[in-house]
Amino acid sequence: MAAPKALVALSGGVDSAVAAILMQEQGYDLIGVTMRLWPKSRCCDEKDIEDAAEVCAQLNIPYQVLDYREAFRQQVVDVFVAEYQAGRTPNPCARCNQFLKFDALLEEGKKLGATILGTGHYARLQETPFGMSLLRGEDAAKDQSYFLFALNAGLLPQLRFPVGEMNKDAVRALARRHGLPVAAKQDSQDICFVPDGDYRRFLADYAGLDMEQEGEMVDSSGQVIGHHSGTLNFTVGQRKGLGGGSGQPRYVLALDPVSNQVRVGSETELYQPQAYLQDCNWLTTLSASDEHHVTVKLRYRSRPEPGLLLLKEDGRAEIRFHEAQRAITPGQAAVCYQGERLIGGGWIR
């Protein structure tokens, strides 16, 4: 019987390289692929492509580089710019997984006769009474399930996350035992297409946005209390750069690019008891008439917080937290879990 053919997505890092080793040991007939996404990127740049090619040569598997630069620009980078212009704080990594990586690679796999896609994400797949479920990665410090909330549930049976059962130290140890050149390679951080981490410079250089559009700074009642240097320079919860003149610290409560206003207030005013979501995606069937007990991550590194999930019409939802949450930020993802199982989420509006 012929071995099942599968693609393995290689970023040039150690996690995806070890995913390839594990899938090869499990008997898959592998094809390694790397998506070329962006010039001067922190992920999948020319050095990463060289490293991925070397890994494939060592494992004796064929390797291809796929050009997705234009799709990445349209579906991730341009949306990133538009979100900032609309006064939101985007999460491009989750959007890349939602709109580009998995769908595109599975389609590419079909052309090559492969129906399975493996990646180096720290997440787990498990058959449960609810069907194929997506679970948190075993290593809590590396768990990446947050970024996968918007996957099409129908694709889960075709996916493999081989390192999801491992911790990072074990992954590196396995890479060393196999003599992989990427065993000690450092992880990429921050936004891959903003190499220096300065998103303001990126918005100015790439999109030509004017970052210094001075406007009014108002308090929660709408009274003008000062001026700001441009809404693009701020995000909800920010304290730095708001100036003095107040007896207590001020924080950004909201941004209004239309009126070019930054609304500020006390830290107490940052706390809200609910979040409203749009463009939701659910990996399991949920009744719209019920309240669902969940824990919610409002940011990748935030602690899961308990609350009630209520589904609304038109792909919207509301989360009512047991305790008010600090700096709920429009444009970020609110990702919902029941125990270890990821059930989906949506974009905070």
mmCIF file of all heavy atoms in Angstrom, residues 107-124:
data_model
loop_
_atom_site.group_PDB
_atom_site.id
_atom_site.type_symbol
_atom_site.label_atom_id
_atom_site.label_comp_id
_atom_site.label_asym_id
_atom_site.label_seq_id
_atom_site.Cartn_x
_atom_site.Cartn_y
_atom_site.Cartn_z
ATOM 1 N N GLU A 107 -4.939 23.622 -1.096
ATOM 2 C CA GLU A 107 -5.234 23.664 -2.532
ATOM 3 C C GLU A 107 -4.000 23.277 -3.336
ATOM 4 O O GLU A 107 -4.102 22.562 -4.347
ATOM 5 C CB GLU A 107 -5.711 25.067 -2.935
ATOM 6 C CG GLU A 107 -7.149 25.361 -2.575
ATOM 7 C CD GLU A 107 -8.119 24.413 -3.268
ATOM 8 O OE1 GLU A 107 -7.975 24.200 -4.492
ATOM 9 O OE2 GLU A 107 -9.006 23.864 -2.585
ATOM 10 N N GLU A 108 -2.856 23.764 -2.895
ATOM 11 C CA GLU A 108 -1.611 23.410 -3.577
ATOM 12 C C GLU A 108 -1.357 21.907 -3.465
ATOM 13 O O GLU A 108 -0.892 21.263 -4.412
ATOM 14 C CB GLU A 108 -0.447 24.188 -2.961
ATOM 15 C CG GLU A 108 0.766 24.310 -3.836
ATOM 16 C CD GLU A 108 0.546 25.177 -5.062
ATOM 17 O OE1 GLU A 108 -0.146 26.204 -4.950
ATOM 18 O OE2 GLU A 108 1.081 24.810 -6.124
ATOM 19 N N GLY A 109 -1.674 21.351 -2.306
ATOM 20 C CA GLY A 109 -1.481 19.922 -2.106
ATOM 21 C C GLY A 109 -2.301 19.073 -3.060
ATOM 22 O O GLY A 109 -1.839 18.035 -3.545
ATOM 23 N N LYS A 110 -3.529 19.535 -3.338
ATOM 24 C CA LYS A 110 -4.382 18.789 -4.271
ATOM 25 C C LYS A 110 -3.705 18.620 -5.626
ATOM 26 O O LYS A 110 -3.789 17.565 -6.255
ATOM 27 C CB LYS A 110 -5.713 19.511 -4.447
ATOM 28 C CG LYS A 110 -6.655 19.428 -3.265
ATOM 29 C CD LYS A 110 -7.952 20.168 -3.571
ATOM 30 C CE LYS A 110 -8.897 20.187 -2.387
ATOM 31 N NZ LYS A 110 -10.138 20.966 -2.693
ATOM 32 N N LYS A 111 -3.022 19.671 -6.088
ATOM 33 C CA LYS A 111 -2.342 19.604 -7.382
ATOM 34 C C LYS A 111 -1.233 18.556 -7.379
ATOM 35 O O LYS A 111 -0.868 18.018 -8.426
ATOM 36 C CB LYS A 111 -1.742 20.976 -7.731
ATOM 37 C CG LYS A 111 -2.739 22.109 -7.781
ATOM 38 C CD LYS A 111 -2.014 23.451 -7.996
ATOM 39 C CE LYS A 111 -2.954 24.625 -7.846
ATOM 40 N NZ LYS A 111 -2.231 25.928 -7.948
ATOM 41 N N LEU A 112 -0.693 18.294 -6.185
ATOM 42 C CA LEU A 112 0.432 17.364 -6.065
ATOM 43 C C LEU A 112 -0.007 16.001 -5.559
ATOM 44 O O LEU A 112 0.824 15.143 -5.274
ATOM 45 C CB LEU A 112 1.479 17.962 -5.121
ATOM 46 C CG LEU A 112 2.058 19.316 -5.540
ATOM 47 C CD1 LEU A 112 2.878 19.924 -4.413
ATOM 48 C CD2 LEU A 112 2.915 19.170 -6.794
ATOM 49 N N GLY A 113 -1.319 15.817 -5.417
ATOM 50 C CA GLY A 113 -1.832 14.536 -4.945
ATOM 51 C C GLY A 113 -1.762 14.347 -3.455
ATOM 52 O O GLY A 113 -1.854 13.218 -2.958
ATOM 53 N N ALA A 114 -1.612 15.442 -2.705
ATOM 54 C CA ALA A 114 -1.510 15.363 -1.241
ATOM 55 C C ALA A 114 -2.784 15.921 -0.605
ATOM 56 O O ALA A 114 -3.223 17.018 -0.943
ATOM 57 C CB ALA A 114 -0.298 16.147 -0.744
ATOM 58 N N THR A 115 -3.356 15.167 0.307
ATOM 59 C CA THR A 115 -4.584 15.612 0.980
ATOM 60 C C THR A 115 -4.344 16.001 2.427
ATOM 61 O O THR A 115 -5.272 16.411 3.122
ATOM 62 C CB THR A 115 -5.647 14.501 0.936
ATOM 63 O OG1 THR A 115 -5.114 13.328 1.563
ATOM 64 C CG2 THR A 115 -6.030 14.178 -0.495
ATOM 65 N N ILE A 116 -3.112 15.862 2.901
ATOM 66 C CA ILE A 116 -2.767 16.146 4.290
ATOM 67 C C ILE A 116 -1.752 17.285 4.324
ATOM 68 O O ILE A 116 -0.861 17.373 3.479
ATOM 69 C CB ILE A 116 -2.165 14.904 4.977
ATOM 70 C CG1 ILE A 116 -3.161 13.740 4.979
ATOM 71 C CG2 ILE A 116 -1.708 15.225 6.399
ATOM 72 C CD1 ILE A 116 -4.433 14.024 5.752
ATOM 73 N N LEU A 117 -1.904 18.169 5.325
ATOM 74 C CA LEU A 117 -0.962 19.277 5.532
ATOM 75 C C LEU A 117 -0.465 19.246 6.968
ATOM 76 O O LEU A 117 -1.262 19.279 7.908
ATOM 77 C CB LEU A 117 -1.645 20.613 5.239
ATOM 78 C CG LEU A 117 -0.856 21.873 5.635
ATOM 79 C CD1 LEU A 117 0.423 21.987 4.807
ATOM 80 C CD2 LEU A 117 -1.721 23.123 5.473
ATOM 81 N N GLY A 118 0.835 19.217 7.131
ATOM 82 C CA GLY A 118 1.434 19.292 8.461
ATOM 83 C C GLY A 118 2.148 20.612 8.658
ATOM 84 O O GLY A 118 2.739 21.159 7.719
ATOM 85 N N THR A 119 2.087 21.166 9.859
ATOM 86 C CA THR A 119 2.780 22.412 10.189
ATOM 87 C C THR A 119 3.460 22.267 11.554
ATOM 88 O O THR A 119 3.232 21.298 12.280
ATOM 89 C CB THR A 119 1.820 23.622 10.241
ATOM 90 O OG1 THR A 119 1.085 23.607 11.471
ATOM 91 C CG2 THR A 119 0.859 23.618 9.055
ATOM 92 N N GLY A 120 4.248 23.261 11.907
ATOM 93 C CA GLY A 120 4.953 23.249 13.184
ATOM 94 C C GLY A 120 4.236 24.003 14.286
ATOM 95 O O GLY A 120 4.870 24.401 15.271
ATOM 96 N N HIS A 121 2.930 24.188 14.165
ATOM 97 C CA HIS A 121 2.179 24.894 15.216
ATOM 98 C C HIS A 121 2.103 24.060 16.494
ATOM 99 O O HIS A 121 1.947 22.834 16.453
ATOM 100 C CB HIS A 121 0.752 25.192 14.748
ATOM 101 C CG HIS A 121 0.662 26.306 13.755
ATOM 102 N ND1 HIS A 121 0.704 26.098 12.398
ATOM 103 C CD2 HIS A 121 0.538 27.652 13.937
ATOM 104 C CE1 HIS A 121 0.600 27.254 11.767
ATOM 105 N NE2 HIS A 121 0.511 28.210 12.674
ATOM 106 N N TYR A 122 2.165 24.772 17.623
ATOM 107 C CA TYR A 122 1.961 24.128 18.917
ATOM 108 C C TYR A 122 0.465 24.118 19.219
ATOM 109 O O TYR A 122 -0.085 25.001 19.874
ATOM 110 C CB TYR A 122 2.737 24.861 20.007
ATOM 111 C CG TYR A 122 4.218 24.596 19.972
ATOM 112 C CD1 TYR A 122 5.055 25.332 19.135
ATOM 113 C CD2 TYR A 122 4.784 23.589 20.757
ATOM 114 C CE1 TYR A 122 6.418 25.084 19.085
ATOM 115 C CE2 TYR A 122 6.156 23.340 20.725
ATOM 116 C CZ TYR A 122 6.957 24.085 19.876
ATOM 117 O OH TYR A 122 8.301 23.826 19.827
ATOM 118 N N ALA A 123 -0.199 23.097 18.693
ATOM 119 C CA ALA A 123 -1.618 22.864 18.913
ATOM 120 C C ALA A 123 -1.839 21.369 18.734
ATOM 121 O O ALA A 123 -0.971 20.660 18.220
ATOM 122 C CB ALA A 123 -2.462 23.668 17.929
ATOM 123 N N ARG A 124 -3.010 20.879 19.161
ATOM 124 C CA ARG A 124 -3.283 19.444 19.070
ATOM 125 C C ARG A 124 -4.636 19.208 18.402
ATOM 126 O O ARG A 124 -5.545 20.027 18.500
ATOM 127 C CB ARG A 124 -3.291 18.816 20.460
ATOM 128 C CG ARG A 124 -1.933 18.777 21.141
ATOM 129 C CD ARG A 124 -2.057 18.225 22.557
ATOM 130 N NE ARG A 124 -2.793 19.122 23.429
ATOM 131 C CZ ARG A 124 -3.508 18.751 24.488
ATOM 132 N NH1 ARG A 124 -3.616 17.462 24.788
ATOM 133 N NH2 ARG A 124 -4.122 19.630 25.240
#
